[in-house]
């Protein structure tokens, strides 16, 4: 616990939804919900306008639609979110070498370690300058908490939302925390909160009154003692600079359980390719391939295979994932598939055995052929480009054939899928985004960051002049 409030916690406000509102002028001030759009979709983020209707993160999208039927429901665009996050995190690293990211939109910063703040006044000035710089660079708002510990800095940023700054002066912690809910403290989830509520403890002040011995009796020594210290505002955890990623993975949840074994193999091949794309994008290779299968009854199986050396070869990863799948019983149906790579390294060592298998005739027939790759492009476009795809990714592959095309017969191109919120470009009208699609038509609003709300036009889903596009930057030149 420090004597000066030099630990900063930044939390971007409704990050995913705010990025969507900034990039889509017609949605500014409107209810925006980002997440999976299928029957099994889950809300990732809701704008503050949507939260007024009771919509919140982790809520089933179907429930959100009932609460907020007129909201804009969009797929996540993780490529853009990462780009914006990189800009923000770079600003934090200019303040200090000790930056501890918690997610794309949240991080702790040790201002004292960077020499930019040593007391309350300099810390507040640094926080205000950071908020202004973020607004200028991204057009987005972030909330800043400043305190002498990580726990209190996070509490402060939450209290400052949205778009504010709160500094907790050392010595005022207990007075500030006392009326707050016990759920404010780290480690108090729904189960612990309910257990405490049944004992008549609902606020942090009541935790302190109960005393350490009573809390230890109720919830155990380790948790009880730690919780009592936090209720007193005591937290000695240091800001730890970011660590390298330990794994790279992608997964898809399907609107309807998959039963066809050929389709399942094809989906695993697509996931392997997407995983390798992310692996290479991070500048890594890996030696352990992991397959995740969630079956119809919600039971989840994980299988892994360790190679002789790290690889970023898509053929090697596909082949290993296919071998792992052969050991899994999918008879009752599959609702989720995932492929990951662990044991990351920054170099590759060719796995000659796996490559020789991939070159053999039996391997060539086992990679899914056209079925394994026919829908991959669409899945990458509609399935959240960062790879943490939900049901919308399954939508992108729905047009793929479920088995190989017999020799000599022409293969029909799968119907193009346009997920709500995805970026497009038209030969005549320029950049825009998909508002919705169905019955062979796709509706596009043509606008871009910084423009006035744009016009809406409707096209055939197979219009050759309409193509998927990369996201435009939120601030700067968008004419390209």
């Amino acid at each position: 616990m420090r004597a000066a409030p030099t630990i900063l916690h930044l939390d971007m406000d409704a990050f995913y939804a705010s990025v969507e509102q900034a990039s889509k002028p017609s949605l500014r001030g409107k209810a925006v919900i980002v997440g999976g759009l299928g029957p099994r979709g889950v809300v990732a983020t809701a704008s503050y306008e949507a939260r007024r209707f009771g919509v919140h993160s982790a809520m089933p999208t179907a429930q959100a639609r009932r609460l907020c039927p007129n909201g804009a429901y969009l797929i996540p665009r993780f490529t853009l979110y990462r780009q914006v996050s990189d800009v923000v995190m770079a600003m934090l690293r200019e303040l200090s070498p000790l930056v501890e990211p918690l997610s794309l939109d949240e991080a702790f910063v040790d201002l004292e370690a960077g020499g930019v703040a040593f007391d309350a006044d300099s810390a507040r000035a640094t926080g205000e300058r950071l908020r202004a710089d973020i607004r200028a660079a991204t057009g987005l708002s972030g909330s800043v908490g400043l305190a002498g510990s990580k726990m209190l800095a996070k509490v402060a940023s939450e209290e400052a939302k949205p778009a504010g700054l709160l500094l907790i002066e050392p010595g005022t912690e207990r007075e500030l925390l006392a009326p707050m809910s016990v759920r404010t403290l780290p480690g108090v989830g729904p189960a612990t909160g309910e257990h405490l509520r049944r004992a008549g403890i609902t606020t942090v002040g009541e935790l302190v009154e109960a005393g350490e011995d009573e809390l230890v009796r109720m919830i155990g020594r380790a948790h009880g003692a730690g919780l009592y210290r936090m209720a007193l505002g005591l937290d000695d955890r240091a800001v730890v600079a970011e660590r390298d990623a330990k794994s790279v993975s992608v997964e898809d949840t399907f609107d309807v359980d998959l039963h066809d074994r050929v389709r399942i193999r094809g989906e695993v091949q697509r996931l392997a390719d997407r995983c390798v794309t992310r692996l290479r994008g991070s500048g890594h290779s890996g030696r352990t391939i992991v397959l995740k299968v969630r079956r119809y009854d919600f039971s989840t199986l994980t299988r892994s295979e360790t190679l002789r050396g790290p690889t970023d070869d898509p053929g090697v990863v596909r082949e290993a994932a296919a071998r792992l799948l052969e050991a899994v019983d999918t008879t009752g149906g599959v609702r989720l598939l995932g492929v990951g790579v662990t044991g990351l390294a920054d170099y590759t060592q060719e796995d000659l055995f796996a490559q020789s298998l991939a070159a053999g005739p039996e391997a060539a027939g086992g990679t899914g052929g056209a079925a394994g790759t026919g829908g991959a492009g669409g899945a990458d476009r509609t399935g959240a480009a960062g790879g943490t795809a939900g049901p919308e990714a399954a939508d992108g592959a729905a047009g793929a054939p479920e088995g190989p095309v017999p020799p000599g017969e022409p293969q029909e191109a799968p119907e193009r899928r346009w997920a709500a919120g995805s970026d497009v470009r038209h030969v005549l009208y320029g950049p825009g985004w998909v508002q919705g699609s169905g019955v062979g038509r796709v509706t596009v609003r043509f606008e871009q960051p910084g423009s006035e709300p744009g016009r809406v036009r409707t096209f055939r889903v197979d219009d050759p002049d309409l193509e998927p596009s990369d996201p435009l930057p939120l601030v700067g030149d968008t004419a390209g």
Side-chain angles (χ1 to χ4, degrees):
M1 190 72 185
R2 298 184 178 180
T6 54
I7 293 180
L8 179 147
H9 180 258
L10 171 70
D11 195 353
M12 300 297 290
D13 298 321
F15 183 54
Y16 298 170
S18 294
V19 170
E20 297 300 337
Q21 289 177 321
S23 65
K24 300 174 171 67
S26 60
L27 297 183
R28 292 168 188 165
K30 305 289 181 61
V32 174
I33 299 93
V34 179
L37 303 187
R40 293 172 176 169
V42 175
V43 174
T45 305
S47 69
Y48 287 99
E49 294 85 358
R51 295 180 192 187
R52 298 192 188 106
F53 292 87
V55 179
H56 58 76
S57 300
M59 172 183 285
T61 302
Q63 181 182 355
R65 288 186 187 276
R66 291 193 293 271
L67 293 172
C68 186
N70 296 322
Y73 290 81
L74 310 173
I75 63 164
R77 296 187 295 162
F78 286 105
T79 296
L80 179 58
Y81 305 155
R82 285 193 180 89
Q83 291 171 358
V84 178
S85 175
D86 288 346
V87 172
V88 173
M89 295 299 165
M91 292 181 179
L92 300 183
R93 294 187 191 97
E94 291 177 359
L95 298 177
S96 172
L98 294 183
V99 176
E100 183 178 342
L102 304 179
S103 62
L104 289 177
D105 61 338
E106 185 180 2
F108 288 110
V109 184
D110 187 333
L111 300 179
E112 192 171 324
V116 295
F118 298 97
D119 56 20
D121 289 342
S122 58
R124 184 185 299 276
T126 300
E128 293 289 9
R129 187 167 58 251
L130 173 65
R131 292 177 57 243
D133 289 346
I134 290 173
R135 173 76 74 174
T138 67
L140 304 179
S141 68
S143 296
V144 169
L146 292 157
S149 71
K150 290 167 66 174
M151 181 199 77
L152 291 170
K154 186 172 175 63
V155 169
S157 69
E158 188 65 30
E159 290 295 304
K161 282 186 170 294
L165 181 149
L166 177 64
L167 184 147
I168 300 178
E169 291 278 4
T172 66
E173 301 89 359
R174 290 185 60 176
E175 181 182 356
L176 177 77
L177 290 173
M180 293 184 178
S181 166
V182 294
R183 293 289 303 277
T184 302
L185 301 179
V188 181
T192 302
E194 177 60 21
H195 188 58
L196 293 171
R197 187 194 65 79
R198 289 198 298 267
I201 299 174
T202 59
T203 68
V204 176
E206 290 167 347
L207 275 177
V208 175
E209 291 175 7
E212 182 175 357
D213 291 342
E214 178 63 14
L215 293 177
V216 168
R217 187 190 66 79
M218 291 175 58
I219 57 179
R221 174 159 298 281
H223 195 25
L227 191 58
Y228 182 70
R229 282 182 55 80
M230 288 191 175
L232 294 174
L234 303 176
D235 177 18
D236 297 324
R237 294 174 300 158
V239 176
V240 180
E242 60 184 304
R243 300 180 177 89
D244 291 336
K246 296 181 179 179
S247 65
V248 172
S249 63
V250 296
E251 61 183 41
D252 281 350
T253 301
F254 304 101
D255 291 347
V256 179
D257 291 348
L258 303 185
H259 295 271
D260 185 274
R261 188 73 178 186
V262 174
R263 172 74 184 279
I264 293 172
R265 282 199 297 268
E267 295 293 342
V268 169
Q269 301 303 294
R270 286 195 315 105
L271 288 166
D273 288 341
R274 286 169 51 199
C275 183
V276 169
T277 298
R278 289 194 62 191
L279 186 69
R280 289 178 169 179
S282 69
H284 290 96
S285 60
R287 60 178 302 173
T288 300
I289 314 304
V290 181
L291 176 71
K292 178 180 177 181
V293 180
R294 180 166 297 150
R295 299 188 291 191
Y296 69 100
D297 58 357
F298 286 89
S299 62
T300 301
L301 303 177
T302 302
R303 298 289 183 267
S304 64
E305 175 180 319
T306 299
L307 308 174
R308 290 183 298 170
T311 184
D312 64 353
D313 186 300
V316 174
V317 177
R318 281 197 302 266
E319 190 65 27
R323 287 195 296 270
L324 294 170
L325 180 62
E326 292 306 312
V328 177
D329 179 12
T330 60
T331 304
V334 170
R335 61 184 291 121
L336 177 147
L337 290 168
V339 173
V341 178
T342 66
L344 301 187
D346 56 5
Y347 66 95
T348 63
Q349 178 177 317
E350 293 182 350
D351 189 315
L352 300 179
F353 175 69
Q355 288 186 348
S356 66
L357 280 179
E362 62 270 74
T367 58
T373 59
D380 283 343
R381 287 193 297 270
T382 62
T388 56
E392 63 277 6
D395 292 345
E402 293 202 359
V405 178
E409 291 189 14
Q411 179 180 348
E412 289 187 12
E415 181 180 291
R416 300 168 82 186
R417 303 275 180 162
W418 303 97
S422 55
D423 297 280
V424 295
R425 180 176 289 273
H426 192 275
V427 170
L428 295 179
Y429 304 114
W433 58 279
V434 175
Q435 280 201 324
S437 63
V439 200
R441 296 288 186 269
V442 55
T443 300
V444 177
R445 185 180 288 274
F446 290 97
E447 59 186 5
Q448 53 189 301
S451 73
E452 294 296 319
R455 294 188 60 183
V456 174
R457 298 182 184 273
T458 299
F459 308 91
R460 299 192 317 272
V461 294
D462 59 353
D463 190 318
D465 291 337
L466 187 67
E467 292 291 342
S469 175
D470 292 330
L472 295 172
L474 296 189
V475 178
D477 181 18
T478 58

